[in-house]
Amino acid sequence: MELICRVAAKLIPNANLISLWRFGEHKQKVISLINYDVEAQEFTEGLELNRRDFPVYFDAIVERELLVASRARAHPVTSCFNESYFEPLDIHSLLDFILHKEFAPVGVICCESKGAAVNWSDDDIENIRMLATQISYCFELPC
């Protein structure tokens, strides 16, 4: 998982926080398997976000598979994270893509920008899509 995060940081250079999340039972929460702070070169894990607190995000990521929120604090799907997640971690931009197992959503790869907002490029979007596809085919998220 550390290698995946390091590859994502190279493919999406404006992302300085990279994380892999797995859905809990019935997609009622997401649990971080790994969080990579690119600038500090530190890995952490164990954050949980519950559907009951962020239903708009959960519905959108599962339905759309891709969320591009260059201005995440103002985005209608991601602004729900402002007080509890974005502000404490100084996150301004978010780029998420769903991970699949046998065509069912099982997790999320998340690329974020802290410190300042960034405009995600078409290359960033294509790179996260390609990386998510490779992860889905080649890697099984731990339960």
Side-chain angles (χ1 to χ4, degrees), residues 84-97:
S84 62
Y85 185 70
F86 291 157
E87 290 171 9
L89 297 176
D90 196 24
I91 294 169
H92 295 268
S93 301
L94 174 140
L95 178 63
D96 284 3
F97 203 93

Side-chain angles (χ1 to χ4, degrees), residues 7-94:
V7 168
K10 293 209 181 296
L11 290 172
I12 305 167
N14 286 318
N16 49 26
L17 293 173
I18 313 285
S19 52
L20 295 173
W21 302 73
R22 72 165 173 84
F23 283 110
E25 191 172 346
H26 305 294
K27 296 180 194 59
Q28 294 303 303
K29 64 182 172 181
V30 288
I31 301 127
S32 70
L33 301 170
I34 192 165
N35 308 301
Y36 178 44
D37 184 319
V38 176
E39 293 169 350
Q41 298 286 301
E42 292 179 350
F43 292 93
T44 58
E45 61 183 72
L47 291 173
E48 286 190 15
L49 301 172
N50 290 296
R51 178 191 256 305
R52 72 178 172 271
D53 299 325
F54 311 106
V56 174
Y57 169 82
F58 275 76
D59 291 344
I61 191 64
V62 171
E63 180 181 317
R64 299 180 191 175
E65 297 189 340
L66 168 69
L67 282 177
V68 180
S70 294
R71 303 288 179 267
R73 293 179 184 201
H75 193 282
V77 171
T78 59
S79 63
C80 57
F81 293 118
N82 285 351
E83 191 174 307
S84 62
Y85 185 70
F86 291 157
E87 290 171 9
L89 297 176
D90 196 24
I91 294 169
H92 295 268
S93 301
L94 174 140

Side-chain angles (χ1 to χ4, degrees), residues 105-124:
V106 294
V108 178
I109 181 170
C110 182
C111 296
E112 297 164 314
S113 173
K114 68 176 187 174
V118 299
N119 289 318
W120 302 115
S121 69
D122 290 341
D123 284 344
D124 294 333

